[in-house]
Amino acid sequence: MKKQFIKVVLSCAIVAGGFTSCKNASSSKNVSRATGWKINAKEGGFQYNSDFKEQETAPGLVFVEGGTFTKGQVQDDVMHDWNNTPTSQHVQSFYMDETEVTNVMYLEYLDYLKSVYPPENPKYAHIYTGALPDTLVWRNRLGFNETMTNNYLRHPAYAEYPVVGVNWIQATQFAEWRTDRVNEVMLEREGYLSEDAKYKVVSGEIEGGFSTEAYLNRPESVYNGQIDSLQGKMKKDSVSNFAKRSSGIILPEYRLPTETEWEYAAQAQIGSREYNNYRGRKKYPWEGDYTRNGQRVGRGDQLANFKQGKGDYGGIAGWSDDGADITAEVKSYKPNDFGLYDMAGNVAEWVADVYRPIVDDEVSDFNYYRGNVYMKTAIGEDGKVNVIRDSIVYDTLPNGKVMAVNLPGEIKMVPVGEEETFLRTNFSSSDNRGYRDGEPGSTRFYDRFNDDEDESNQKKMYNAPVSKVQVDDNGEIVRAYDKSNNRTTLINDEVRVFKGGSWRDRAYWLDPAQRRYLPQYMATDYIGFRCAMSRVGSKSKTKNKTPRGKKAR
């Protein structure tokens, strides 16, 4: 009895101390379990979204619940590349585009850039032109494809076809732009931005756009410093005029999927209970070992758009046909068990990874990804995050294409240094693309065998050509091609993986485990892309779920 009495006295003492109540101190979502203070009080103090349930599915995406799988193939390696040795991997849950990015989606991006950053303005030179797909990829020395060269990107007949002619750099920049546009809409919906803010930017009434990271770090800088006049109802209804990460409104960034994510999503083992499939023996994104439908409805129909044989890109007209000679309209074939379309065939797709022949699962078997370059925000002399205004940086690619590295209004990023890496065990440098693969820094005694000052003559595991492109004082592009006879490979840190078969490929490449690579500045008529987004919070959708070990009432 004494023990019970003491408990009651202590509880009442808490009430006497000024907290809401004994009951609410432990159960109310708006009372801190750490301090007993009120959360989200009108008087001020700690503001937090205590009503947050789970991440909202962003436009165009579907949810992919993570898990374990066998990355790579157990089947025969017909090409003898030996670059997809089976490894067990675990993937966190994420979101992925339902279809490849289409022409009309990419045209929306181009229209925005042309409106907000007019190419005739010298200050914005090359922003729009640098984003244009290479429509000349359709040309063939001994083929008549000029119709696609002139029409494929812009004609409405091809609006819902996957965009091609886009290099890896352009694909990543599209994803960055998409992040900002979607978060702009999210903030508008929640009352942090006025409904006409985004349209004033497009119409030219306001110079300067919206950047998600700039908004989170220096919100007063957004819309070229004019955000005060573009705020929504939350300006007067909220303690804070600006949304923060803790609000739960800002979505994670759109990005290219990692190779591991793409392969896991393509296999879609969620619909299979076959042990062999789990061990990596699922040949295609669908069940079975054949490319034709074996079900009663639609029996014999092709399940993907691919090259069926020499000189056969679609089958015989009228029957035994896959319905396409080049690319096909998205959603022309059934989705896999995750609800993703065309994870085999139609176009191959860029993924985020830098290519290496070996997947180093000894270092990482969780969310494996080669390509990390860790950056941090640059801080100005005033102690604030540095926002780029007019100092747009352009990069001339090895093929001569000039592209903007950043857009006005974005935050300046710099590589992490010793302050972040000192005495860390998980990473020691900003650039980790060449970690443990024979490149500089990954071999203990590398410097003993590379004493030649001329970089082109140094011994390297991946001795790729180095072609230099520069712009002279007259603005002319000067191309210096690599003429060395000592090159042994095309692999370097600017070579990226692409996955999946395309309309130009035979059925062998439809296997999700197959992997190929191409320099990140190059584009083709058979490589497109789709975006992904990380899942924050729970592994699975939490709606209508109860804690493990407890029964639902």
Side-chain angles (χ1 to χ4, degrees):
M1 293 295 294
K2 287 185 178 180
K3 290 183 179 179
Q4 293 177 354
F5 177 74
I6 291 173
K7 287 181 180 178
V8 173
V9 171
L10 289 174
S11 296
C12 291
I14 292 175
V15 176
F19 298 112
T20 306
S21 72
C22 306
K23 182 179 180 181
N24 288 340
S26 61
S27 63
S28 174
K29 63 184 179 180
N30 284 321
V31 175
S32 169
R33 290 193 293 115
T35 63
W37 284 41
K38 290 181 180 179
I39 297 175
N40 302 322
K42 293 182 179 180
E43 298 81 7
F46 182 52
Q47 302 294 312
Y48 192 78
N49 184 1
S50 56
D51 292 323
F52 184 82
K53 299 298 182 183
E54 67 175 12
Q55 181 177 344
E56 181 176 341
T57 302
L61 305 180
V62 297
F63 176 67
V64 179
E65 183 173 341
T68 185
F69 80 115
T70 299
K71 175 181 169 66
Q73 67 169 11
V74 184
Q75 303 175 54
D76 293 335
D77 189 354
V78 176
M79 302 299 292
H80 300 290
D81 287 331
W82 300 107
N83 65 355
N84 55 354
T85 303
T87 62
S88 294
Q89 298 283 335
H90 193 97
V91 185
Q92 274 188 298
S93 297
F94 61 100
Y95 298 83
M96 182 177 273
D97 264 333
E98 185 180 29
T99 71
E100 301 106 338
V101 171
T102 62
N103 284 319
V104 71
M105 293 167 67
Y106 202 86
L107 284 174
E108 185 180 2
Y109 167 53
L110 293 176
D111 182 72
Y112 181 92
L113 293 181
K114 193 171 185 178
S115 300
V116 179
Y117 310 109
E120 59 270 14
N121 186 336
K123 184 170 62 173
Y124 300 141
H126 305 300
I127 290 181
Y128 170 73
T129 56
L132 285 172
D134 182 5
T135 58
L136 300 184
V137 295
W138 288 106
R139 285 182 172 170
N140 186 301
R141 294 180 181 87
L142 296 178
F144 178 69
N145 300 323
E146 208 63 14
T147 301
M148 274 82 79
T149 300
N150 295 325
N151 293 282
Y152 184 81
L153 175 64
R154 299 186 183 278
H155 198 285
Y158 294 112
E160 294 297 335
Y161 285 57
V163 67
V164 296
V166 175
N167 63 41
W168 183 92
I169 301 171
Q170 291 172 315
T172 57
Q173 291 185 347
F174 171 87
E176 293 169 2
W177 168 85
R178 189 177 176 186
T179 300
D180 294 335
R181 303 292 73 76
V182 169
N183 278 325
E184 209 169 9
V185 172
M186 300 297 289
L187 291 169
E188 175 190 306
R189 188 187 71 183
E190 298 300 322
Y192 287 95
L193 292 176
S194 62
E195 295 183 1
D196 58 350
K198 57 183 181 294
Y199 296 114
K200 285 186 176 181
V201 173
V202 175
S203 64
E205 295 180 52
I206 297 175
E207 184 177 351
F210 173 89
S211 164
T212 300
E213 290 302 317
Y215 180 86
L216 289 170
N217 287 274
R218 286 191 63 181
E220 74 280 359
S221 70
V222 179
Y223 297 121
N224 206 17
Q226 302 178 63
I227 192 173
D228 285 341
S229 62
L230 298 173
Q231 291 186 59
K233 63 180 181 180
M234 292 298 287
K235 181 176 182 179
K236 58 182 178 181
D237 295 345
S238 176
V239 176
S240 175
N241 294 339
F242 305 110
K244 301 178 176 63
R245 289 197 195 276
S246 57
S247 68
I249 297 169
I250 304 293
L251 290 169
E253 70 277 3
Y254 284 85
R255 55 178 174 78
L256 289 181
T258 66
E259 180 183 2
T260 306
E261 287 175 334
W262 193 98
E263 189 170 327
Y264 174 81
Q267 284 191 17
Q269 295 170 353
I270 191 172
S272 174
R273 294 297 180 265
E274 291 283 341
Y275 177 75
N276 281 337
N277 289 345
Y278 165 74
R279 298 302 301 167
R281 288 183 167 84
K282 188 176 181 182
K283 188 172 184 179
Y284 299 116
W286 52 83
E287 293 293 334
D289 295 330
Y290 304 100
T291 62
R292 291 187 181 275
N293 189 354
Q295 298 177 354
R296 200 173 98 182
V297 178
R299 186 184 299 275
D301 290 346
Q302 290 289 359
L303 296 172
N305 173 23
F306 64 99
K307 184 177 180 179
Q308 298 174 36
K310 184 173 178 60
D312 184 359
Y313 288 84
I316 300 172
W319 66 282
S320 188
D321 190 7
D322 66 12
D325 38 28
I326 55 168
T327 56
E329 185 174 339
V330 296
K331 296 188 178 182
S332 294
Y333 305 90
K334 290 182 179 180
N336 69 8
D337 289 323
F338 276 127
L340 301 169
Y341 292 86
D342 292 322
M343 295 301 285
N346 215 17
V347 291
E349 299 176 17
W350 288 114
V351 295
D353 294 57
V354 169
Y355 176 79
R356 291 295 189 268
I358 297 175
V359 173
D360 193 350
D361 63 327
E362 291 183 4
V363 171
S364 176
D365 58 3
F366 181 76
N367 285 348
Y368 186 91
Y369 166 61
R370 181 178 289 279
N372 285 313
V373 180
Y374 297 118
M375 308 289 284
K376 63 180 180 180
T377 55
I379 306 299
E381 295 180 357
D382 57 358
K384 296 182 179 181
V385 172
N386 195 337
V387 178
I388 298 167
R389 290 298 184 196
D390 298 323
S391 57
I392 305 171
V393 178
Y394 292 101
D395 185 21
T396 304
L397 305 182
N399 60 358
K401 191 175 184 68
V402 180
M403 296 185 64
V405 176
N406 62 271
L407 294 177
E410 294 181 346
I411 286 181
K412 183 178 180 180
M413 304 296 291
V414 295
V416 299
E418 268 189 31
E419 295 178 0
E420 291 78 19
T421 62
F422 183 65
L423 291 182
R424 285 191 177 272
T425 59
N426 52 333
F427 73 102
S428 57
S429 63
S430 169
D431 190 344
N432 297 273
R433 291 174 296 177
Y435 181 66
R436 279 173 57 101
D437 71 347
E439 285 293 84
S442 64
T443 303
R444 186 178 179 185
F445 301 113
Y446 178 86
D447 56 336
R448 297 186 185 180
F449 304 99
N450 293 276
D451 52 0
D452 196 321
E453 294 183 1
D454 186 355
E455 182 181 346
S456 63
N457 293 327
Q458 290 181 4
K459 298 177 182 178
K460 293 184 179 181
M461 183 173 182
Y462 300 111
N463 188 23
V466 180
S467 296
K468 297 181 180 179
V469 179
Q470 297 177 329
V471 180
D472 62 18
D473 296 337
N474 298 322
E476 298 292 329
I477 296 177
V478 179
R479 297 177 174 86
Y481 296 100
D482 190 319
K483 298 180 180 179
S484 172
N485 294 322
N486 300 323
R487 300 307 179 197
T488 58
T489 181
L490 293 176
I491 300 173
N492 58 32
D493 289 344
E494 280 72 48
V495 168
R496 302 287 173 167
V497 178
F498 66 94
K499 299 282 283 184
S502 75
W503 65 274
R504 277 193 177 275
D505 296 313
R506 301 291 289 269
Y508 173 76
W509 296 105
L510 303 183
D511 183 346
Q514 299 302 336
R515 54 202 305 258
R516 291 175 282 181
Y517 62 93
L518 198 68
Q520 63 186 25
Y521 60 85
M522 296 185 70
T524 73
D525 62 355
Y526 62 90
I527 300 179
F529 69 101
R530 72 179 77 208
C531 297
M533 179 183 288
S534 298
R535 163 89 171 172
V536 294
S538 62
K539 176 179 183 288
S540 59
K541 296 274 188 175
T542 58
K543 187 177 181 181
N544 298 326
K545 289 202 172 185
T546 56
R548 296 181 185 276
K550 293 186 178 181
K551 294 182 179 180
R553 295 182 178 179

